[in-house]
Amino acid sequence: MSKGTFYITTPIYYPSDKLHIGHAYCTVATDAMARYKRLCGYDVMFLTGTDEHGMKIEDKASQAGVTPKQFVDNIVEGPRGVKDLWKLMNISYDRFIRTTDDYHVTAIQRIFKKMHDNGDIYKGKYVGKYCKPCESFWTESQLVDGKCPDCGRPVVDAEEEAYFFRLSKYADRVRDLLENTDFLQPRSRVNEMVNNFIKPGLEDLCVSRTSFTWGIPVDFDPGHVVYVWVDALFNYMTALGLDNDAHDDLDKYWPADVHFVGKEIVRFHSIIWPAMLMSMGLPLPKKVYGHGWLNFGGEKMSKSRGNVVDPYILAEKFGVDALRFFMLRTFPFGSDGNFTNELLIQTINTDLANDLGNLVSRTTAMVNKYFGASLPAGCRTWGTPESFDQELKAAASGLRDRYEAEMEWFQFQNALEEVFRVIQRANKYIDENAPWALAKDMAANGRRLAHVLYNLLETTRICGVLLTPFMPESMEKLFAQIGADSSVRTWDSAKVWGALPETAAPQKGENLFPRIDMEKELAELEKLQAPAKPAVETEPLAEENVDFDTFCKSDFRAVKVKDCQSVKKSEKLLCFTLDDGTGTDRQILSGIAKWYKPQDLVGKTLVAIVNLPPRKMMGLASNGMLISAVHKEKGEEKLNLLIVDDAIPAGAKLC
Ligand code: MSP
């Protein structure tokens, strides 16, 4: 009998590049949750998919010389594409939505029209900034250093006739939802949303575009396409049948039990999404969980930063289950985690090879060695229990409740910690009982030995059931090795000590998690990952053009360094005295002390822009700016002044 329904979603992915393990992080977590709920007896709907519209996809397709649809088809369905990756990672989704699916397109047009008809979408003029990679509109005041506050990349000016959604109208209700309910988790994200977005005043949201065509057309106003986030967010309901006939599961599964989303898209899910549902008079999802990022080298793993880790390489080397386990065991779900190959190998060696793998292999080997095919009937209750028998049984039979308490709050790391405490306890129990010593005198100790081994098999079984959502394939193998059939792999049986038949036939099988040679594998990984992790990173090219006349106004000159000094009380600045060809010395200050010793620069010919307005720094005047080249090497910021040929005389104009 089903315990009820459970509807869980991942964000739908932009198929603008191949996915990396940062993307897999959220989907693996969602999969573990979905499998856990199925294990508990829920009728689960697990939705994932792809978010295929928007200017970025249109641009990428045109760069690749294909249509946007061909472009996304290849990344979604093609080799090593999104669907292949989910297959590799053993993701048990129930439904996959593509926002280019016909039913979704029609449904979005209906939804947009409904919000237009009810007055919440109106026509106006959009003037502001747009971040192409994030497909996000921003007002000037929301920018950070003039750049996108989410990704830090340059934004472009946007001005056009557009439709707006009356987000401002819902500000109070959304604030109430965030502050006075459990809707958004972890709780720390609530303050972020309220302080950064709601308190400064929610502005109406621009929800249509006319500057590109790769989107869902607004059917009552040709030339407008629906803003990609409106299109994307409603996937959670169109996939169940909202405003379409392709599916009919809304009554059964909506409202969603939880949307898992990365922290940078919490704003869309916890402010814009509920506001639009309020406008449509639809029930709100029960929860949004904003998880942290998987970082690499201290920064969010992402294709544009060039620091992505290829899941195929890791899965081939260490196995999919080890990779799945690592992601959820090592990092608290609500916070960021820094991926390193060392940490991955260490986790596999410690938890999987040493603790779990050893427990299984030692126990099954001892059963076979001392008793043959199976333990003797009756051994479950033989002997007077020792204190450590009691301790082990209590730890194992209470485990399910402790694990459940953590899983219900999406605390995967803590749930796994509970399981591994019991596994460690069981390994200690082997040492406490020294079965090899008992086996020396089977006549005297045979019954005790059988009882000890039974306790170990039973503890392993309970842990195996609870690890199934994380490592489904390996747990199948584990159950086969300890002789646990499907009747004792269930949620109910995980709370019952003694459910494993005494005469179950354990079989020592292949080593579930072989130990990894850290040094050797690290060296190999370094080589394999090198192409994915460029040693040299440069800034993305500017998205915005500068007009030619404006550019020509900049006066670049060759300048010769006559003198260069450190600036007192400044760690960054150097003060240059320069010959700019005019006969009068020019003073320029430059924040490059980290990279150059002043005396090394005297006599060099550099390039400066000389018609910037004068500035004062640390009380000294700076008349222009020296031009340098910046890049990152292995994550570290590097700077090189543009030093030019001595044949170029001071004052020569660069054009
Ligand atoms: N298309 C939107 C989601 C629309 S949902 C209605 C989107 N797509 S995405 O492909 O850019 O990102 C999908 C998910 O992957 C997001 O939740 C994002 O946070 C997550 N991740 C992408 N890189 C990540 C890491 N390095 N670490 C953890 N999660 C990361 O956003």
Side-chain angles (χ1 to χ4, degrees):
M1 245 265 293
S2 153
K3 281 200 183 144
T5 59
F6 188 80
Y7 180 31
I8 183 166
T9 66
T10 69
I12 48 172
Y13 295 82
Y14 281 129
S16 59
D17 286 299
K18 299 266 152 126
L19 303 188
H20 50 75
I21 66 160
H23 294 109
Y25 179 54
C26 179
T27 308
V28 165
T30 314
D31 186 65
M33 199 62 208
R35 287 177 187 269
Y36 156 72
K37 283 288 175 178
R38 287 190 201 110
L39 178 68
C40 295
Y42 285 85
D43 170 346
V44 172
M45 167 62 83
F46 167 9
L47 175 74
T48 189
T50 42
D51 174 10
E52 305 186 359
H53 294 120
M55 183 147 68
K56 186 162 104 183
I57 303 264
E58 192 175 88
D59 286 354
K60 288 235 166 181
S62 100
Q63 281 159 20
V66 293
T67 65
K69 183 68 169 59
Q70 284 166 334
F71 182 83
V72 290
D73 278 352
N74 178 42
I75 296 189
V76 178
E77 314 271 352
R80 297 206 162 192
V82 179
K83 286 190 174 170
D84 269 2
L85 178 61
W86 297 156
K87 203 161 158 198
L88 173 81
M89 298 304 296
N90 206 356
I91 303 301
S92 61
Y93 60 81
D94 298 292
R95 196 160 288 171
F96 192 102
I97 182 170
R98 298 183 57 178
T99 55
T100 48
D101 289 340
D102 288 344
Y103 75 87
H104 175 79
V105 170
T106 318
I108 292 299
Q109 288 177 324
R110 291 179 183 150
I111 290 163
F112 197 89
K113 174 107 184 12
K114 281 185 186 169
M115 289 195 280
H116 183 255
D117 290 350
N118 75 18
D120 275 351
I121 284 184
Y122 63 93
K123 204 168 192 176
K125 191 166 182 202
Y126 179 78
V127 183
K129 304 285 176 187
Y130 189 70
C131 173
K132 270 202 216 178
C134 295
E135 308 274 10
S136 299
F137 294 105
W138 300 102
T139 55
E140 194 82 47
S141 63
Q142 287 173 320
L143 303 180
V144 175
D145 295 334
K147 298 198 172 149
C148 171
D150 272 352
C151 71
R153 282 175 279 203
V155 290
V156 292
D157 283 324
E159 179 178 333
E160 58 191 46
E161 185 187 67
Y163 285 94
F164 286 82
F165 171 67
R166 285 189 205 284
L167 188 58
S168 54
K169 177 173 155 187
Y170 296 97
D172 291 345
R173 280 176 69 189
V174 171
R175 182 168 180 173
D176 182 51
L177 174 75
L178 296 182
E179 289 187 328
N180 300 319
T181 73
D182 276 343
F183 175 76
L184 177 58
Q185 287 170 17
R187 194 72 203 165
S188 55
R189 306 248 179 252
V190 170
N191 300 337
E192 243 169 82
M193 290 301 116
V194 172
N195 294 338
N196 298 350
F197 299 107
I198 301 189
K199 278 192 188 157
L202 267 190
E203 291 172 25
D204 289 352
L205 178 75
C206 178
V207 289
S208 79
R209 303 304 314 270
T210 51
S211 53
F212 61 93
T213 54
W214 181 240
I216 298 182
V218 176
D219 52 354
F220 56 87
D221 196 346
H224 287 262
V225 294
V226 175
Y227 173 42
V228 71
W229 271 100
V230 175
D231 163 0
L233 285 162
F234 273 100
N235 92 86
Y236 300 129
M237 292 189 77
T238 60
L240 298 182
L242 178 68
D243 280 312
N244 70 82
D245 298 326
H247 298 291
D248 188 19
D249 302 300
L250 261 186
D251 289 346
K252 187 166 175 195
Y253 293 112
W254 192 258
D257 290 273
V258 63
H259 297 309
F260 276 0
V261 302
K263 65 180 185 181
E264 84 283 18
I265 57 172
V266 164
R267 177 173 76 100
F268 298 96
H269 285 82
S270 67
I271 297 178
I272 298 172
W273 179 221
M276 289 195 299
L277 291 171
M278 287 169 188
S279 164
M280 295 276 292
L282 291 165
L284 307 183
K286 291 180 202 159
K287 281 191 174 79
V288 169
Y289 193 95
H291 65 78
W293 287 337
L294 215 51
N295 293 338
F296 193 49
E299 283 193 330
K300 184 187 178 209
M301 198 181 289
S302 74
K303 177 80 188 192
S304 59
R305 290 187 178 88
N307 63 346
V308 295
V309 175
D310 182 345
Y312 284 93
I313 295 181
L314 298 180
E316 266 156 35
K317 277 198 155 295
F318 308 122
V320 167
D321 277 353
L323 188 54
R324 289 171 56 108
F325 172 79
F326 163 72
M327 290 194 239
L328 300 175
R329 163 74 164 142
T330 317
F331 311 114
F333 193 45
S335 325
D336 290 355
N338 199 29
F339 175 93
T340 63
N341 292 319
E342 288 89 333
L343 201 52
L344 169 63
I345 297 174
Q346 205 177 23
T347 308
I348 297 176
N349 280 348
T350 309
D351 290 340
L352 298 181
N354 271 7
D355 290 352
L356 178 59
N358 265 343
L359 174 64
V360 178
S361 61
R362 290 206 285 173
T363 306
T364 52
M366 289 191 286
V367 173
N368 290 163
K369 183 168 171 198
Y370 303 135
F371 294 95
S374 71
L375 294 174
C379 67
R380 184 166 34 210
T381 49
W382 280 347
T384 321
E386 303 273 354
S387 64
F388 34 78
D389 296 338
Q390 309 282 34
E391 238 183 76
L392 181 68
K393 281 183 209 171
S397 45
L399 176 60
R400 198 194 80 173
D401 287 348
R402 297 192 301 276
Y403 166 97
E404 183 179 16
E406 299 293 349
M407 290 297 281
E408 287 301 312
W409 289 93
F410 318 121
Q411 299 304 306
F412 303 107
Q413 190 192 35
N414 295 349
L416 287 168
E417 177 60 26
E418 291 292 348
V419 178
F420 275 79
R421 252 188 231 146
V422 174
I423 292 172
Q424 283 148 14
R425 184 68 196 82
N427 276 317
K428 188 167 156 221
Y429 180 81
I430 299 185
D431 299 336
E432 285 163 343
N433 283 286
W436 45 90
L438 293 174
K440 285 190 182 140
D441 185 353
M442 285 300 272
N445 304 323
R447 284 164 72 96
R448 172 69 195 158
L449 178 59
H451 183 68
V452 165
L453 292 178
Y454 178 82
N455 288 348
L456 288 167
L457 285 177
E458 183 55 343
T459 305
T460 308
R461 178 191 68 83
I462 291 176
C463 294
V465 173
L466 302 178
L467 288 175
T468 305
F470 298 89
M471 298 184 285
E473 273 182 13
S474 308
M475 291 310 107
E476 283 280 319
K477 291 184 192 157
L478 175 145
F479 290 135
Q481 291 192 11
I482 62 168
D485 68 19
S486 59
S487 68
V488 290
R489 300 175 184 185
T490 62
W491 180 245
D492 286 344
S493 76
K495 219 187 148 161
V496 182
W497 177 265
L500 183 74
E502 293 154 329
T503 50
Q507 275 169 15
K508 173 135 181 57
E510 62 170 301
N511 194 347
L512 289 177
F513 302 103
R515 215 186 144 69
I516 293 161
D517 180 336
M518 172 83 89
E519 254 177 50
K520 179 171 156 266
E521 287 299 335
L522 279 182
E524 278 186 24
L525 277 174
E526 189 79 358
K527 266 191 243 145
L528 287 168
Q529 288 173 341
K533 201 181 84 181
V536 172
E537 293 170 51
T538 54
E539 284 263 314
L541 298 184
E543 305 242 351
E544 197 174 7
N545 289 335
V546 54
D547 71 76
F548 193 67
D549 292 344
T550 311
F551 168 72
C552 288
K553 286 183 192 152
S554 311
D555 193 358
F556 292 98
R557 300 286 170 148
V559 288
K560 199 167 176 103
V561 182
K562 294 175 76 176
D563 187 29
C564 180
Q565 302 286 337
S566 310
V567 173
K568 263 192 210 144
K569 291 194 188 150
S570 168
E571 284 175 6
K572 287 189 184 164
L573 289 176
L574 294 184
C575 179
F576 289 83
T577 306
L578 302 160
D579 175 0
D580 62 5
T582 59
T584 310
D585 287 349
R586 174 178 290 269
Q587 176 168 295
I588 291 183
L589 293 154
S590 183
I592 58 169
K594 186 172 157 195
W595 293 279
Y596 287 100
K597 292 200 187 82
Q599 63 272 24
D600 293 347
L601 293 169
V602 177
K604 302 271 188 246
T605 305
L606 310 177
V607 174
I609 174 165
V610 294
N611 62 339
L612 288 175
R615 278 177 69 190
K616 269 206 163 171
M617 292 182 238
M618 304 294 285
L620 297 167
S622 180
N623 299 302
M625 192 173 88
L626 292 172
I627 306 300
S628 48
V630 286
H631 72 279
K632 276 190 184 170
E633 239 170 81
K634 293 191 181 143
E636 198 191 328
E637 194 109 22
K638 300 275 175 182
L639 178 143
N640 289 285
L641 278 170
L642 222 62
I643 301 179
V644 296
D645 198 320
D646 280 340
I648 303 173
K653 186 171 168 68
L654 274 72
C655 49

